[in-house]
């Protein structure tokens, strides 16, 4: 069979392909024996199930089964991991989490940290997504111009996306520490040094900033693809009519970019609600609980505290799931409305 | 050039749409703004990484300096006869205004005892400490890196990360391609249901099933085991979707012809579909490598014994240690970002176009 060897078009991954080929040959021959038997038993079309089996098993075990078990945890108490050993509590865990005298003041809640985390997350989501999408749009508009070395500039803005959250947090921790380069610059300008990560407001600011720095390139790339998909003749027509530039932007660019914008917004929202890794390493949720967000609350309640309260953690994650579900539904509705015109 | 026929778009309009703002030699203010923004972007996006790399080559002494120097300068040391350890060098300003490089034997309060390294027999003199400044020389502190290999279990963590990344990526490619092939090329009852079943997992982020997934992994006896990180990760809705869309474009005739030749379904998948889907597989491979190499929360929960740590976990626990010295931590951070940076440098175009078209990360 001629098709078998590595693909005809030059692929940058060819150097990976070659050494893998021996391994692939071995896999082919060993797996073929049971697969031929399965094909005889099931017939040509039903063998699709065999192809699907590994994936379905993994999704079943690690996604769908846990969803069910999550309800078991959320309705039981105690510190045992095995659901059978846990006393049934009904909706108690939810009541404990939602028990507040005044919902606007976390201090009056039984689980004050949960509500602190909820409000922190809400504030974070609004600020981070708002500023990030704005800057991503500006950057995409700039990269969409005919600039010298566009590929290079695109990489510059994209590069942080590839870094690991731990690395990102450490890079900024190093810059923001008391004797770091930022304070050196401040002192050089005649100002006083600031303990960036020890003041609640500044820590929150930097958490938002670092997240924007980290993820903006990804959304810039998607917006840039959206901008490049707008046909140029629309602009030419507008120019012939002598349309004012601002009007061109608000009446042509923005509406035509809207589907991409909505995808970007919702993706960014879903990620921001789940922000954890880089913040955990950068501030550990501190100072105090100033930068503690909802996923960290779940992690600490379930895994990192002395008494592992799986029930409360599971209940909190179900509440988070509701928020994420609503966001996803909004996305589906928005995209459908876009498609219907 | 086709553009030449069109009127040159200028000003705000030129900025907002895809156009060159000016003819050669005449820059419009929007061009100035563009390049100003890009320059600032270069500093903000790339500066921190550059600063990290430069800092990682500094000695502990140089790292403690405030304000810091840009390049890795360190205090110079000299071997002086009669002293076991190398002595730090300072530039001393004598009372008559002349300057001399001298080695410090010890410091007593605000006075230090200095000796001329070229002529140690002449004996030491007292110098007030405000009359001396460290004598610095350009010095790459490579020892920050060699320490990680000699004294620290760096290779162990590196190997753990590489093992998880490579094995998980290979299995991801295989399993997802199999599922994608079944969904793209077979006609069986319930195909749509299964497709939805797989795609719907996109809506269930791992963060909301942490506790029960932990139970499943622990019941399988996979805690503190790299497979506890690998197995939950190898089926991805993104991968199945990406590969299925690509496989739909492979003509059915190829498969039919192979069936005529009496090839088994598995052989068709392995010998025809997989090679033809190579571009999509490559995109998924890059994603998978990035996901697994950078993953943090799940390994943090599953791997609690330090010998099973991935690089990310080792970095995190290392930085949480109060006794941690920044020079080693910085060097380790650089080594952790290096593989991904290399992948990016070689496959930059592939990655950016792949992400733009798939809209996933």
């Amino acid at each position: 069979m001629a098709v078998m060897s590595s693909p005809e078009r030059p692929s940058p991954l060819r150097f990976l392909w070659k050494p893998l080929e021996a391994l692939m040959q071995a896999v082919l021959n060993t797996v073929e024996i049971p697969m031929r038997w399965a094909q005889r038993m099931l017939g040509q079309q039903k063998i699709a199930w065999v192809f699907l089996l590994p994936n379905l098993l993994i999704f079943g075990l690690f996604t769908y089964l846990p969803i069910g078990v999550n309800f078991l945890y959320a309705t039981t108490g105690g510190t045992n991991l095995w659901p059978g050993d846990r006393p049934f509590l009904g909706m108690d865990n939810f009541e404990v989490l939602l028990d507040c005298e005044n919902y606007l003041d976390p201090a009056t809640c039984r689980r004050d940290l949960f509500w602190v985390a909820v409000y922190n997350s809400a504030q974070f989501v609004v600020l981070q997504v708002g500023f990030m999408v704005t800057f991503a749009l500006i950057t995409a508009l700039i990269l969409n111009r005919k600039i010298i070395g566009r590929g290079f500039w695109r990489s510059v803005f994209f590069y942080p996306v590839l870094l690991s959250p731990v690395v990102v947090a450490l890079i900024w921790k190093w810059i923001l520490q008391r004797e770091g380069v930022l304070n050196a610059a401040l002192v050089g300008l005649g100002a006083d040094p600031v303990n960036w990560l020890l003041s609640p407001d500044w820590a929150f600011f930097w958490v938002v900033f670092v997240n924007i720095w980290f993820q903006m390139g990804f959304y810039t790339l998607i917006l840039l693809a959206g901008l490049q998909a707008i046909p140029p003749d629309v602009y030419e027509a507008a120019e012939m009519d002598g349309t004012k530039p601002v009007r061109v932007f608000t009446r042509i660019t923005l509406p035509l970019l809207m589907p991409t914008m909505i995808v970007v917004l919702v993706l960014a929202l879903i990620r921001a609600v789940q922000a954890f890794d880089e913040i955990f390493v950068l501030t550990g949720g501190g100072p105090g609980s100033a930068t503690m967000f909802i996923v960290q609350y779940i992690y600490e309640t379930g895994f990192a505290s002395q008494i592992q309260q799986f029930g409360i953690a599971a209940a909190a994650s179900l509440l988070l799931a509701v928020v994420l579900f609503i966001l996803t539904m909004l996305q589906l509705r928005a995209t459908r409305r876009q498609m219907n015109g | 050039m086709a553009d030449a026929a069109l009127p040159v778009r200028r000003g705000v309009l030129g900025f907002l749409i895809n156009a060159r703002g000016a003819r050669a030699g005449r820059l419009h203010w929007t061009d100035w703004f563009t390049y100003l923004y890009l320059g600032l972007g270069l500093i903000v996006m790339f500066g921190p990484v550059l600063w990290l790399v430069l800092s990682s080559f500094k000695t502990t002494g140089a790292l403690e300096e405030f304000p810091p120097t840009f390049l890795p300068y360190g205090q110079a040391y000299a071997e002086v006869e009669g002293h076991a350890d190398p002595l730090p060098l300072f530039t001393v300003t004598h009372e008559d205004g002349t300057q001399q490089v001298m080695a410090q034997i010890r410091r007593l309060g605000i006075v230090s005892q200095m000796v001329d390294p070229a002529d140690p027999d002449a004996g030491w003199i007292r110098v007030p400490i405000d009359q001396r400044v460290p004598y610095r020389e350009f010095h790459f502190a490579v020892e920050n890196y060699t320490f990680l290999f000699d004294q620290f279990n760096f290779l162990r963590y590196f190997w753990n990360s590489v093992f998880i990344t490579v094995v998980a990526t290979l299995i991801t490619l295989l399993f997802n391609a199999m599922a994608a092939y079944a969904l793209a090329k077979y006609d069986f009852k319930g195909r749509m249901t299964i497709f939805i079943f797989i795609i719907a997992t996109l809506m269930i982020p791992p963060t909301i099933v942490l506790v029960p997934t932990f139970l499943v992994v622990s019941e399988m006896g996979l805690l503190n085991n790299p497979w506890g990180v690998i197995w939950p990760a190898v089926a991805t809705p993104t991968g199945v979707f990406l590969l299925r869309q690509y496989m739909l474009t492979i003509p059915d005739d190829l498969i039919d012809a192979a069936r005529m030749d009496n090839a088994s379904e598995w052989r068709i998948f392995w010998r025809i579909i997989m090679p033809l889907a190579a571009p999509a597989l490559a995109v998924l491979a890059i994603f998978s490598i990035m996901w697994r190499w950078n993953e943090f929360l799940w390994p943090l929960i599953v791997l609690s014994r330090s010998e099973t740590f991935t690089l990310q976990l080792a970095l995190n626990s290392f930085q949480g240690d109060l006794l941690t010295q920044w020079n080693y931590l910085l060097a380790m951070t650089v080594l952790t970002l290096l593989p991904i940076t290399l992948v990016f440098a070689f496959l930059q175009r592939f990655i950016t176009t792949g992400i733009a078209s798939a809209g996933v990360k």
Side-chain angles (χ1 to χ4, degrees):
Chain A
M1 249 171 267
V3 232
M4 153 281 117
S5 59
S6 49
E8 296 300 314
R9 71 203 89 181
S11 139
L13 279 190
R14 211 157 27 174
F15 69 94
L16 267 178
W17 218 242
K18 285 280 172 199
L20 283 181
E21 225 162 59
L23 175 72
M24 294 173 84
Q25 186 67 39
V27 175
L28 168 69
N29 293 334
T30 9
V31 182
E32 193 171 18
I33 301 158
M35 285 300 272
R36 263 200 188 278
W37 178 80
Q39 195 177 335
R40 257 204 315 277
M41 303 300 290
L42 292 167
Q44 208 180 59
Q45 291 301 314
K46 275 196 183 146
I47 196 162
W49 289 102
V50 179
F51 280 106
L52 282 169
L53 191 68
N55 237 276
L56 297 185
L57 260 178
I58 287 171
F59 279 130
L61 260 179
F62 297 109
T63 305
Y64 284 101
L65 176 69
I67 292 175
V69 179
N70 222 10
F71 285 99
L72 280 181
Y73 277 111
T75 51
T76 53
T79 54
N80 286 322
L81 184 60
W82 183 248
D85 301 338
R86 299 169 57 83
F88 183 74
L89 289 179
M91 299 302 279
D92 280 9
N93 285 329
F94 292 97
E95 274 167 30
V96 166
L97 279 176
L98 298 175
D99 182 16
C100 273
E101 274 171 34
N102 176 2
Y103 282 101
L104 293 176
D105 180 11
T108 64
C109 302
R110 248 168 91 186
R111 288 280 163 161
D112 52 342
L113 264 189
F114 174 72
W115 286 94
V116 168
V118 166
Y119 284 120
N120 280 346
S121 277
Q123 200 184 349
F124 173 79
V125 166
V126 171
L127 290 174
Q128 197 256 357
V129 173
F131 281 107
M132 182 175 70
V133 173
T134 311
F135 279 110
L137 181 61
I138 294 174
T139 314
L141 285 168
I142 290 217
L143 290 176
N144 195 33
R145 307 193 74 205
K146 283 182 181 148
I147 48 178
I148 305 161
R150 186 194 292 174
F152 168 75
W153 294 111
R154 198 177 49 190
S155 310
V156 165
F157 284 95
F158 183 72
Y159 176 66
V161 173
L162 298 173
L163 300 178
S164 86
V166 184
V167 165
V168 167
L170 288 177
I171 287 176
W172 284 97
K173 215 172 174 173
W174 174 238
I175 289 174
L176 296 173
Q177 60 144 339
R178 179 133 174 76
E179 309 222 307
V181 68
L182 193 66
N183 274 335
L186 274 187
V187 170
L189 292 171
D192 287 331
V194 182
N195 245 339
W196 299 112
L197 296 178
L198 294 181
S199 127
D201 289 343
W202 277 118
F204 200 91
F205 168 84
W206 284 111
V207 161
V208 172
F209 179 90
V210 169
N211 267 279
I212 293 175
W213 182 85
F214 184 17
Q215 287 160 16
M216 190 185 84
F218 172 64
Y219 300 99
T220 303
L221 216 58
I222 299 181
L223 285 173
L224 186 60
L227 281 174
Q228 284 169 346
I230 299 177
D233 39 329
V234 187
Y235 289 118
E236 276 153 32
E239 199 178 358
M240 302 259 194
D241 295 345
T243 319
K244 286 214 172 67
V246 177
R247 209 175 149 77
V248 171
F249 180 69
T250 54
R251 290 298 165 93
I252 297 179
T253 309
L254 271 189
L256 287 176
L257 197 62
M258 222 10 115
T260 320
M261 277 291 271
I262 286 173
V263 170
V264 161
L265 260 177
V266 176
L267 281 180
L269 278 175
I270 292 177
R271 279 200 64 173
V273 173
Q274 300 181 71
F276 169 75
D277 302 358
E278 56 280 358
I279 301 159
F280 183 67
V281 181
L282 184 65
T283 66
S289 51
T291 55
M292 173 156 174
F293 299 135
I294 190 73
V295 172
Q296 193 189 340
Y297 178 80
I298 295 171
Y299 167 72
E300 302 219 317
T301 318
F303 299 99
S305 57
Q306 284 293 324
I307 306 157
Q308 303 197 317
Q309 297 167 304
F310 296 122
I312 298 282
S317 61
L318 281 176
L319 293 175
L320 175 65
V322 172
V323 174
L324 289 170
F325 183 75
I326 294 172
L327 284 175
T328 316
M329 286 298 119
L330 279 180
Q331 176 197 24
L332 288 179
R333 242 184 89 175
T335 38
R336 196 173 318 141
R337 210 176 51 211
Q338 280 302 325
M339 277 193 268
N340 292 341
Chain B
M1 271 178 49
D3 288 16
L6 298 168
V8 178
R9 303 189 192 90
R10 301 282 303 273
V12 183
L13 179 64
F15 172 71
L16 293 173
I17 64 181
N18 182 18
R20 192 191 299 279
R23 277 167 284 237
R26 285 210 291 150
L27 286 173
H28 191 262
W29 68 267
T30 54
D31 293 288
W32 288 109
F33 177 76
T34 298
Y35 285 104
L36 187 73
Y37 186 91
L38 290 175
L40 265 176
L42 183 67
I43 295 170
V44 174
M45 303 311 276
F46 211 69
V49 180
L50 184 68
W51 181 243
L52 169 82
V53 174
L54 285 173
S55 302
S56 76
F57 283 107
K58 290 180 176 175
T59 58
T60 327
L63 286 176
E64 277 165 6
E65 270 177 45
F66 186 85
T69 55
F70 182 65
L71 290 172
Y73 281 96
Q75 179 151 35
Y77 286 80
E79 296 275 358
V80 179
E81 236 176 88
H83 298 275
D85 296 324
L87 300 178
L89 293 177
F90 288 86
T91 307
V92 175
T93 310
H94 291 298
E95 274 165 24
D96 57 0
T98 57
Q99 293 194 324
Q100 186 188 5
V101 175
M102 297 187 84
Q104 173 179 283
I105 300 169
R106 66 177 68 84
R107 185 184 147 187
L108 301 162
I110 57 159
V111 180
S112 57
Q113 300 175 352
M114 314 282 282
V115 66
D116 184 355
D119 184 16
D121 297 331
W124 51 266
I125 57 167
R126 288 171 192 278
V127 179
I129 56 165
D130 56 351
Q131 294 298 310
R132 69 189 193 16
V133 286
Y135 178 79
R136 287 195 295 227
E137 62 183 5
F138 194 69
H139 173 67
F140 273 107
V142 187
E143 58 270 23
N144 293 345
Y145 287 87
T146 52
F147 168 87
L148 294 176
F149 292 94
D150 298 341
Q151 314 274 322
F152 190 71
N153 229 343
F154 181 80
L155 283 177
R156 168 97 243 167
Y157 306 132
F158 187 78
W159 165 248
N160 289 343
S161 271
V162 168
F163 178 80
I164 289 177
T165 305
V166 170
V167 172
T169 298
L170 289 179
I171 301 179
T172 302
L173 291 181
L174 175 66
F175 282 9
N176 289 1
M178 283 166 69
Y181 175 52
L183 292 170
K185 290 299 176 194
Y186 287 94
D187 202 10
F188 57 97
K189 235 172 115 183
R191 186 173 68 165
M192 211 50 214
T193 321
I194 294 295
F195 187 55
I196 292 170
F197 178 84
I198 291 176
I199 294 304
T201 58
L202 265 179
M203 287 171 44
I204 307 148
T207 45
I208 65 170
V209 286
L210 279 181
V211 180
T213 316
F214 179 74
L215 168 76
V216 173
V217 169
S218 103
E219 287 302 315
M220 290 170 76
L222 293 179
L223 290 187
N224 282 313
N225 185 329
W227 290 98
V229 179
I230 294 172
W231 284 126
V234 293
T236 65
T238 312
V240 174
F241 185 73
L242 199 93
L243 293 173
R244 175 186 174 264
Q245 297 307 94
Y246 195 86
M247 287 177 184
L248 285 175
T249 65
I250 297 174
D252 289 339
D253 302 352
L254 283 175
I255 300 168
D256 292 337
R259 279 181 187 147
M260 296 285 201
D261 291 343
N262 211 11
S264 74
E265 297 300 306
W266 172 256
R267 188 169 280 270
I268 294 171
F269 164 72
W270 195 255
R271 283 277 158 109
I272 299 180
I273 301 296
M274 286 290 263
L276 285 178
L281 286 171
V283 172
L284 180 61
I286 294 169
F287 283 145
S288 174
I289 290 171
M290 273 164 43
W291 288 330
R292 297 290 84 79
W293 186 265
N294 292 340
E295 199 173 24
F296 181 64
L297 177 57
W298 185 244
L300 182 69
I301 289 171
V302 174
L303 308 173
S304 54
R305 280 219 309 271
S306 76
E307 68 267 23
T308 62
F309 277 3
T310 61
L311 263 186
Q312 313 293 341
L313 295 184
L315 257 185
N316 177 53
S317 78
F318 198 35
Q319 66 98 19
D321 191 342
L322 284 177
L323 299 171
T324 292
Q325 286 168 297
W326 269 102
N327 53 339
Y328 301 134
L329 185 57
L330 293 173
M332 193 165 161
T333 313
V334 171
L335 288 179
T336 309
L337 68 78
L338 202 61
I340 289 288
T341 306
L342 289 179
V343 170
F344 182 56
F346 287 115
L347 306 176
Q348 187 256 114
R349 186 167 292 275
F350 231 71
I351 295 172
T352 46
T353 51
I355 284 182
S357 59
V360 288
K361 195 204 128 194

